Structure formats: C-alpha cells, structure tokens
Amino acid sequence: MSAGRRSPPSASAAAGESGVLAASRYGHFAPGGREYVVTDPRLPRPWINLIANPRVGLAVSQTGSGFSWIDNSQLAVLVRWQQDLADDRSGRFLYARDRDTGEVWSLAPAPCWPAYDRYACRHGIGYTTIETERAGLRARWTLFVDAEETVELWGLRLEETAGRRRRLSLVPYLEWNCGVAPAPRREFQKLFLETSWEPAAAAITAGSHMWDVPSARWGHWNTSFPYACAFAAAQPAAAGEGDKAAFLGRGGDWRRPAALAGEDPWPALFGRHHDPVAALRCDVELGAGEVFDGGFVLATAADRASALALARRFAEPAAIDAALGAATAAWHERLATHRVTTPEPTLDLLANDWLRYQAISSRLWGRAGYYQQSGAFGFRDQLQDAQVWLTIDPVRCRAQAALHAAHQFVDGSVVHWWHPLSEQGHVTRMSDDLLWLAFVVAAYVKETGELGILDDPAPYLDDPAPGPLVDHVERAFARVFRRTSPRGLPLIGAGDWNDGLSALGLEERGESVWLGQFLAGLLADWSVIHGRRGDAARAGELHERRTALVAAINEHAWDGAWYRRATRDDGSWIGAGENREGRVYLNAQTWAILHDVAPPPRARACLAAVRAHLLAPAGALLLAPAYARPDPTIGYITRYAPGLRENGGVYTHAATWAIAAAAKLGDADLVGRLLSAINPALQDPDRYWAEPYVLPGNVDGPASPYAGRAGWTWYTGSAAWLPRVLAEWVLGVRPTWDGLRFDPCLPPAWRRAAMRRPWRGAELDVSIERLDVLAPGAVAVEVDGRPRRDGLLGAVRPGTRVEVRVRCGPAQPGAAAPSAAPRERATSE
Ligand code: GLC
C-alpha cells in the first residue's frame, strides 16, 4: 500500500478550458486530440475504448463496463460480459465502501450510478481513465494493457478532498468466463471452472477444465481452456470472494451487494463448485488530503503458477505506472511516422491517431468491439485492415499477407474467416475473399518497391508444403477465372465484398459486376508485377485478361447512366434501372472509376449517379432505394430493416471509396461534402448517438426513421481505409508503379495541407497549396526546390529528409487524374 501526501495529478485534469475540439453536451476532445473526455456518462449509447496489444485486450465504456480476452476475443474471453447497449452494466466493477459510514458506491458509473460531484472518462490512445469524485474522495481509475505482456492493468489513485480521515474498502469485482463467449448457458459453463484464493499473493486465480471448441487431438469438447488467469491487487487484500451468489446475496442489488453490507467475513467460496467470480477487498486508510496509489492486475499465462508470477511482477503501483508510460509511448511512436495536417483539425486527429489506432487495436489485434466480439480473422477484412501498416510498419502488413495465404487451399479458394487458436474455418462460395491477397500484396510492392514479398513462403490448408506468395495469388486468379460466366463476367457465388448478396449466385451462374471491376484493377497491377519479375508472357496474359474483362463489363453491365451491380442465377439484374428497390449500387460506380474500367464519359456519369441517387447527409449510401421486404433471391441484405447497414445505409467502409472516386475525378466539392459527412466528430451526438472519435460501421440512411444514427462502432473496415483515402486521394500523395505521385483534390474550403510520411527509407515533408492562378487541374511539384515535370518521386536516398512542395490549380471536375503510365502498365494505378 502506498499512501502519502502528494500533489494530486494535474496532467489532464483541467482539460477543457482551451484548445478543446468537438465540444458537445457529452464531452470534447482534450487539446491535442489524443484524449476524448466524456463529461456526462448518460450517453445515448456506450462510448467505448478498445485497448489491445497483439495478444490481450479489453473493452471499456464510459460506465467502466466491459470485457477482457486473450488471443481470441470470442473463444478465449476471460471476463464475462453481456452485450446490452441500452443497459451497459456488466463485466467488471470497482466499488468503494466507507467503513465508517457504511456508504457503498462505484468508482465508475456502473453499477451504482451514484451522483458524482465530478465525473470524466478520458478515452485515450491505449488507455482509459475514469475520474470520479464523491463524498470527499477523488478517484482516478486507469485501465490499459501492457505493451507486450499478457497483462491487463488497472492503476488507481485516490485522493481525500474533504479534509478528514477515511477508512475505506476498495472492492473490484469481475465474473470469470475463461472460454467461449457469449456463454448463454452459464449453468453449464460454470461446471468446469475452478478458482483459488491466494491471500499471500492478494490474488484469485481461475481456469476452466473444459473449452467448448473442437480439439484436433482429443475430439469434441474434451480439452481444457489453455490458459490460467490471476487477478491480483497491488496492495494487500483482506479478503477474497469467488462465488457470485455469496457476493451479491439473495435478492441482491448490484448497487449494494451483500458482501459490502457490513464488515462480516466473506465466506470465501473457491474451488470447483461455485458460480465463479473474483472480488477482492483491500482496506485503505487515508488522512486528510492524502493520496493513495494502488491498482489491480489481470494476468494470463499457460498455467496457474505462471499467471500468479506474472501478476505479482506487475502488482506494484510503480510497475503499473511504468507500464502505462511504456504502453502509451509505444502507441505514440507507432503513430508518429505518418501524419497529415489539414484545415479540419478533427479530421487530423482522426486520421493521424484515432482511426489508425482503431484499425490496429480493434480490428487487427483485438478483433472486437462492443457491437461484435469476433476473434476471427476475416480473409478479406484483416487484409484490408493491414493496409494501415503500409506507411508505418510495412513488415507487419507483409506478415499479415503470409498469415492469410496460409489459409488458402491448393485450388485457390480460401476460408471466409478462421479462428486463431482453434483454427476453425468457414468454407464458403464467396467469390472475392481470395483476391484481397492480390490486392494487399500489390499495395505493399507499390509502397515499398520490394518484390521480395512474392517469394515469402506460405503453406496451403490442404498441403503443408509451402509455396511462394506469388503462387498463392496466381491460384486465386486461376480460381476466379474458372468461375467466370460465358460472357466473361466473374461469378458472384455466395456473395462478394457485400456479404449480404448471399443468394444471387448459389447455382454458380449469377455474376458480379463489382467483382469484375475489382479484378480488372488487380490484373493491371499484377501485369506490372510480372513484368518486373521478368515474366513478360504472364504480364501479357494478365493484360489481355484485363482488356477482355473491361470490355465485357462495358458491354453487358452499363445501364445507360450507371453500372449495374450483379445478376441472379436466372440472369436478371440488380442495381439496374428496371429495379424498383436496389436500383443503384455504390460500389459498382466507385470501383469502375478507381480501377479505370469506365471510359471518361461513363466515369463522369457514375459520379453523377452517386450524386443523384446515393448522396445522403450522412455520406454515400451503399444502395438506393433500400429493400423494404426480404427477397430470398437476393440474400440477407434485403432482410435488414430498410435504411440499416448495407440495406440502404451509409456503410462507411464503402463510403470511403466514394471519397477516393470523387477525388480521382477531381470533384472537390463532393470530396468535401463526403469527408464532412463521414467525420464522426462533426455530428450532432443526439442524432448520431455513437462515439465521436472512431468510425462506425454504418449510419442509418433515409429509409430509417433514425436517418443519421450511427452504430457498429470500432469493428469496421473503414478505420484503415479512411486515412489511406485521405492521404492518397484527397491529399493525393499516392504510390504508383511510377513512383510516388502528387495529385491532390482538396475540398473547396481548403487552401493548404501538409503531410509527413516515410518513402522508401527517406522522410518526406510534403506541403500542398491550392493556387487559383494555376490552371484548373494543374499540379506543379518541386522536390528539394527543383521542379519535377512528371510530378513524381521515384528513388530517394534512404536516411535523408526530402521536401516536396505541391501546388495545384483549382479542381477540374470530371477530369480523371491523368497519370504518366509506364510503358508496361496496363491501365490502373
Ligand atoms: C462486413 C463484413 C465484411 C463485408 C462487409 C460488407 O463488414 O465483415 O467482410 O465486406 O460486411 O458486406
């Protein structure tokens, strides 16, 4: 225990006076933007933080509720939690009890919801601090995970503010899950859990003798949970309780559980025959004005002894403090290499810090959010997320590509998702998953210039002999070529990027126009890659494939004013003028532009169709009009309520592509509108409901009575996409096969922007300015003071700093950014 007279923490305590951004009645960004401060816990929905390292993580909302996991946020959940966004009080609690007055309250709103004299929840990059003050006791509870070790840490600082001596009990409480979540049959699950009380270590341990995933060696449900946990206090613990009913009491109330009713000894029910929870009681005495530093540790390891040892290593206030410093420093360092500055400060703090953090912490490491505890790797999802590493740590992108390649079969097909730990994989007839490997590897080569990735070995699911990555990609192409309709369009199978188009092609005749457009760009890229590898024949073949595909799309899928989306097995179209619902689909327009499938007049028409049919105040709708009734011939997309998610909502993942397409065509006005529309920090929280500091998966479209309401936050592919679209298409600093290209399309309200980013070992300082004296669409580039006529930056000297000055004329809508194509290039960038 460490109590003593100290100055109270002031670092961020006084945030809010100046420099705050996006202030609303619920909170604001602290100056600098790396903390969002919730000032009123009664939010429309939980606003959470998703804090993870590559192995362990936790979710915590402004009420303190949430869950924790190791290695897989669905199969290896440590702390039991119930998904209930209206009644957000489950998972972990931290109680205080005044031993003189008997008063009981929680140091975060859940579960007691006391009236605090002060409250703030600071969600930061890699930590959350909940500050409360009540009855002369100020508390700061900080939750985070160590940068590397499999420990979750709770730092706790208490300060006596009423000028009197206090005798307190601190009581953290959590419910053990130690297995697959959600576990609706708790009465079954608890039959296997075992806990122990280790008073000398001030710790409770937990593990489970059954893990309900298949075991390759022992068969069905016949294996133990492969981890043990220890929950330990950083100060002595006077008591521990391991049974929920004993803690809560009969007819109990979470606001005043029986265990906190008085000083009676706890029954301390541990072992194998209880409803396993962990509650510790730590008695603390504080003199007038004194400060106490303590905390708790949740450590997870392969066995009980190692978990206890790990917990004890961190269960010291100084160790918790040091770990917090290291964890936040690691995040800052990770995010420091690529920064943008635009006239919209909320966009900067999102793109530089929050969205990349979202992509890494929630999507790649945790694979979890409050709306979805996934734990699995989606074949297409995490490959797209891995783009976030391209400019900040490309080696990790390369590793992600190898991991996914190892989840491909020899026939080129892949599992739609798989669970790390159990390696359960979902085999489907989705048609696009396998191609995202080609996508991300091409992006990696464009960024780094390194072809070595093509030789990275990866086994197949049905053949342990490793094959180079280039073979994996070729097998994927070969499979897609085999699944092509007689008129040359790829088959949609059980769905493409849009999972919900799940019934169009179950008989392997329905076609996907979007998939054709996506494939056309990949063929262009891989034609270049093969050329650079010296395989001119293969380069030529892929180029020809592309030419034929583009011709087929333009011949069969053009509807007169936009591209149709797909056909059913019977040949009938969706996304066509003849459809009453689902008449125009966004992706078939944006990717026609992005992958140079549409000739210029058609490209302009596509964007006009987006403006005319899909532009909502909240961004670009995925389709319109929404489907009002389930249509089993299309798929489950039609089963969502109209206006929700893919069914006519703004699906932010795809909405980012609309920004890129608008920028590519020089439609600066549309770029500006779409960027503001998607920016969560610019929304009215009473309409929008969701967190202002991360992207949601979807925002309700006009067919919903709640148009503009966001949901499914954190767990969305848009987190990695938006920073890339902003950097590469809006600021226009874009790796191409010719080198780094500078081709901005600044929204009309912006005159300047800047970027710092690495490029092939050098550090670039890019300044961008729009000058109305320049001709519309003109771009002038200077590198270290010397004009670059081609507007490109190729080789640079590693270790140097390069200054790039970009001046552009006013945007010229409709003029698709021309690019100096290398001779070998097929078409797309
Ligand atoms: C979900 C899926 C993703 C898919 C998207 C659109 O986000 O995880 O794979 O592309 O929906 O349907």
Side-chain angles (χ1 to χ4, degrees), residues 363 372 378-381 384 416 432-433 436 496-501 587 622 636-637 640 645-646 651 653 657 697 712 715-717:
R363 290 283 295 187
Q372 184 175 1
F379 198 93
R380 73 163 84 86
D381 290 322
Q384 290 170 79
H416 183 52
D432 70 312
D433 288 318
W436 289 99
D496 58 20
W497 171 88
N498 201 151
D499 276 353
L501 297 177
N587 291 350
L622 190 66
Y636 74 77
I637 189 174
Y640 289 109
R645 287 186 59 81
E646 287 102 317
Y651 206 74
H653 185 155
W657 298 332
W712 213 283
Y715 207 63
T716 159

Side-chain angles (χ1 to χ4, degrees), residues 491-493 502-511 566-573 633:
L491 301 181
I492 191 167
S502 51
L504 295 167
L506 293 174
E507 291 166 17
E508 293 284 295
R509 285 196 304 279
E511 303 152 312
T567 58
R568 295 181 178 81
D569 285 321
D570 69 5
S572 59
W573 284 102
T633 69

Side-chain angles (χ1 to χ4, degrees), residues 176-179 186 189-195 206-210 271-274 276:
W176 293 115
N177 188 79
C178 294
R186 178 65 169 176
Q189 184 187 37
K190 75 183 173 63
L191 303 175
F192 308 97
L193 285 147
E194 177 166 5
T195 59
S208 177
H209 297 288
M210 200 279 277
R272 299 192 57 180
H273 298 88
H274 305 289

Side-chain angles (χ1 to χ4, degrees), residues 410-501:
V410 167
D411 72 358
S413 67
V414 302
V415 284
H416 183 52
W417 50 251
W418 78 92
H419 272 294
L421 292 187
S422 70
E423 285 296 320
Q424 288 158 282
H426 186 38
V427 174
T428 70
R429 295 193 66 83
M430 296 263 177
S431 51
D432 70 312
D433 288 318
L434 67 183
L435 288 180
W436 289 99
L437 186 63
F439 169 84
V440 84
V441 172
Y444 175 92
V445 177
K446 263 187 228 179
E447 174 66 38
T448 62
E450 292 165 19
L451 289 168
I453 187 174
L454 303 175
D455 300 319
D456 285 357
Y460 293 90
L461 280 174
D462 48 353
D463 182 355
L469 220 47
V470 64
D471 285 2
H472 285 262
V473 169
E474 283 294 316
R475 284 171 196 266
F477 280 142
R479 179 169 166 84
V480 176
F481 297 155
R482 286 195 299 274
R483 294 178 80 193
T484 297
S485 73
R487 58 181 173 177
L489 298 178
L491 301 181
I492 191 167
D496 58 20
W497 171 88
N498 201 151
D499 276 353
L501 297 177

Side-chain angles (χ1 to χ4, degrees), residues 98 161 172 175 207 218 243 274 277 281 303 311 404 464 475 512 525 541 603 613 636 673 698 806:
D98 187 313
T161 57
E175 218 165 307
W218 303 112
D243 180 65
H274 305 289
V277 300
R281 199 186 87 208
D303 55 62
H404 287 241
R475 284 171 196 266
S512 167
D525 282 338
E541 278 163 29
H613 302 280
Y636 74 77
R673 286 171 68 172
N698 53 277
V806 182

Side-chain angles (χ1 to χ4, degrees), residues 144-377:
F144 65 102
V145 296
D146 185 66
E148 284 157 18
E149 300 288 353
T150 52
V151 285
E152 169 182 323
L153 298 155
W154 301 3
L156 184 63
R157 170 168 281 200
L158 300 178
E159 190 195 352
E160 199 291 320
T161 57
R164 59 193 163 94
R165 191 158 192 83
R166 305 292 291 268
R167 296 190 318 128
L168 300 163
S169 294
L170 296 173
V171 179
Y173 168 90
L174 54 84
E175 218 165 307
W176 293 115
N177 188 79
C178 294
V180 178
R185 295 164 303 148
R186 178 65 169 176
E187 282 303 315
F188 180 69
Q189 184 187 37
K190 75 183 173 63
L191 303 175
F192 308 97
L193 285 147
E194 177 166 5
T195 59
S196 77
W197 167 224
E198 313 283 340
I204 290 168
T205 68
S208 177
H209 297 288
M210 200 279 277
W211 189 32
D212 39 355
V213 303
S215 152
R217 179 151 180 227
W218 303 112
H220 185 59
W221 288 8
N222 186 20
T223 180
S224 297
F225 186 57
Y227 309 96
C229 297
F231 184 60
Q235 54 283 324
E241 183 51 71
D243 180 65
K244 184 174 180 176
F247 183 83
L248 181 61
R250 294 188 188 174
D253 178 344
W254 285 110
R255 286 169 302 174
R256 206 183 160 80
L260 295 182
E263 302 270 315
D264 291 346
W266 288 356
L269 303 177
F270 292 93
R272 299 192 57 180
H273 298 88
H274 305 289
D275 193 348
V277 300
L280 295 169
R281 199 186 87 208
C282 300
D283 295 337
V284 172
E285 294 201 9
L286 280 177
E290 270 188 354
V291 169
F292 160 83
D293 280 311
F296 299 90
V297 178
L298 174 61
T300 311
D303 55 62
R304 196 171 140 274
S306 320
L308 268 171
L310 186 60
R312 288 316 317 165
R313 215 176 100 204
F314 282 89
E316 287 291 333
I320 296 176
D321 253 21
L324 177 61
T328 50
W331 276 112
H332 289 182
E333 201 182 310
R334 194 170 289 134
L335 300 172
T337 48
H338 188 183
R339 314 284 298 176
V340 299
T341 311
T342 75
E344 177 48 62
T346 59
L347 188 61
D348 296 354
L349 63 88
L350 285 165
N352 291 333
D353 291 315
W354 283 98
L355 302 188
R356 290 190 170 106
Y357 168 64
Q358 178 181 0
I360 297 168
S361 193
S362 163
R363 290 283 295 187
L364 283 162
W365 288 350
R367 298 183 304 286
Y370 244 42
Y371 296 72
Q372 184 175 1
Q373 272 176 290
S374 165
F377 285 102

Side-chain angles (χ1 to χ4, degrees), residues 616 621 623-628 640-644 647-649 699-708:
L621 303 170
L623 62 88
Y627 295 99
Y640 289 109
L644 298 195
N647 186 14
V699 185
D700 286 17
S704 157
Y706 304 106

